[in-house]
Amino acid sequence: MEGDCLSCMKYLLFVFNFFLFLGGACLLGIGIWVLVDPTGFREIVAANPLLITGVYTLLAMGGLLFLLGFLGCCGAVRENKCLLLFFFLFILIIFLAELSAAILAFVFRENLTREFFTKELGKHYQGDNDTDIFSATWNSVMITFGCCGVNGPEDFKFASIFRLLTLESAEVPEACCRREPQTRGGVLLSREECLLGRDLFLNKQGCYTVILNAFETYVYLAGALAIGVLAIELLAMIFAMCLFRGIQ
């Protein structure tokens, strides 16, 4: 009976580690996609140190889970106590790190609000100055997503550096202007009319809403995946300890 129980535990641990392996692969895939995605998401991430740290943490955790899922599978099949102990300790460390990251994300969630981005845009945006990484990032985002400011063109009325540099001769930056097609290489419909704030020639919708709508599905998917991975890690630790204690 004990042998049957141990055998059952071994295969259950193998199954959970296989899912852990797949979860790690998915986290790696999401992290890599965010860094290389050509639709502009990487520029949004690069604009916020908290977000870029989160992406690299996601990559690191995905890589470790990928490796440890593989080691856990090997340890379960071979019934190797050393591999199982190594697996348990590292899964515990990763579990605690992910839990800490989730708590930090909750604590610093105000850094991702509409008000935060509006305030930062007003303080730091310098218009077409591509030598400034903050302004260049915002220009890339506005051109890529066909949007203007955080809430809309009115945000630039309160962008102090932008107003100073343009001597208040432009209502919006060139990045807000409509293009055909809507890409960096696209032709402006009318630069002069756009800079004067004419509705027909500029993108009216704010970037916060546009980006939120574009990535809402991916955010919920990533959150569900993270919860699933945490649950699998917890179960894998329990099975690993049970199997470790049962091996002679």
Side-chain angles (χ1 to χ4, degrees):
M1 183 70 180
E2 187 179 344
D4 290 340
C5 184
L6 191 64
S7 179
C8 179
M9 199 70 68
K10 179 176 76 173
Y11 289 114
L12 279 173
L13 181 61
F14 177 84
V15 169
F16 276 109
N17 274 290
F18 180 71
F19 281 113
L20 200 64
F21 176 83
L22 290 180
C26 288
L27 290 178
L28 266 177
I30 291 171
I32 292 169
W33 170 73
V34 168
L35 288 179
V36 303
D37 175 52
T39 60
F41 196 48
R42 62 173 178 259
E43 280 85 5
I44 303 166
V45 171
N48 193 316
L50 186 66
L51 287 179
I52 197 67
T53 302
V55 170
Y56 284 115
T57 301
L58 194 71
L59 281 170
M61 290 302 169
L64 279 173
L65 288 176
F66 185 84
L67 176 63
L68 289 174
F70 176 76
L71 289 175
C73 286
C74 292
V77 170
R78 298 177 60 128
E79 297 185 11
N80 187 304
K81 293 186 80 168
C82 183
L83 275 176
L84 286 172
L85 185 60
F86 174 81
F87 166 79
F88 174 81
L89 290 174
F90 272 84
I91 283 291
L92 180 62
I93 292 168
I94 291 172
F95 180 82
L96 293 175
E98 287 175 340
L99 203 58
S100 301
I103 292 169
L104 284 173
F106 179 77
V107 171
F108 292 105
R109 68 191 184 280
E110 66 272 11
N111 285 1
L112 302 176
T113 62
R114 186 188 294 267
E115 291 73 22
F116 172 81
F117 286 116
T118 304
K119 181 181 175 184
E120 291 298 297
L121 183 73
K123 283 169 58 179
H124 304 296
Y125 185 72
Q126 298 179 22
D128 297 328
N129 180 10
D130 285 335
T131 59
D132 174 59
I133 189 168
F134 182 87
S135 303
T137 297
W138 264 104
N139 289 337
S140 294
V141 170
M142 289 190 289
I143 292 170
T144 300
F145 288 95
C147 55
C148 187
V150 179
N151 308 289
E154 64 277 4
D155 287 346
F156 295 100
K157 292 178 181 178
F158 310 102
S160 54
I161 300 177
F162 169 71
R163 304 299 292 178
L164 183 65
L165 291 174
T166 59
L167 302 175
E168 301 199 8
S169 61
E171 293 295 318
V172 294
E174 187 179 300
C176 283
C177 297
R178 291 179 62 188
R179 299 162 186 257
E180 190 58 47
Q182 188 61 48
T183 62
R184 186 172 285 277
V187 179
L188 296 172
L189 297 186
S190 174
R191 183 178 184 276
E192 293 74 19
E193 294 293 320
C194 169
L195 296 184
L196 290 173
R198 304 285 190 265
D199 289 355
L200 287 175
F201 302 97
L202 61 85
N203 297 306
K204 296 282 290 178
Q205 198 165 11
C207 293
Y208 191 88
T209 301
V210 172
I211 294 168
L212 199 64
N213 290 340
F215 293 102
E216 188 175 16
T217 304
Y218 297 108
V219 169
Y220 288 127
L221 191 63
L225 180 63
I227 292 169
V229 168
L230 284 172
I232 290 169
E233 285 172 359
L234 191 60
L235 288 169
M237 284 191 290
I238 294 169
F239 285 126
M241 271 284 79
C242 292
L243 185 58
F244 180 83
R245 293 180 64 183
I247 295 172
Q248 298 302 318

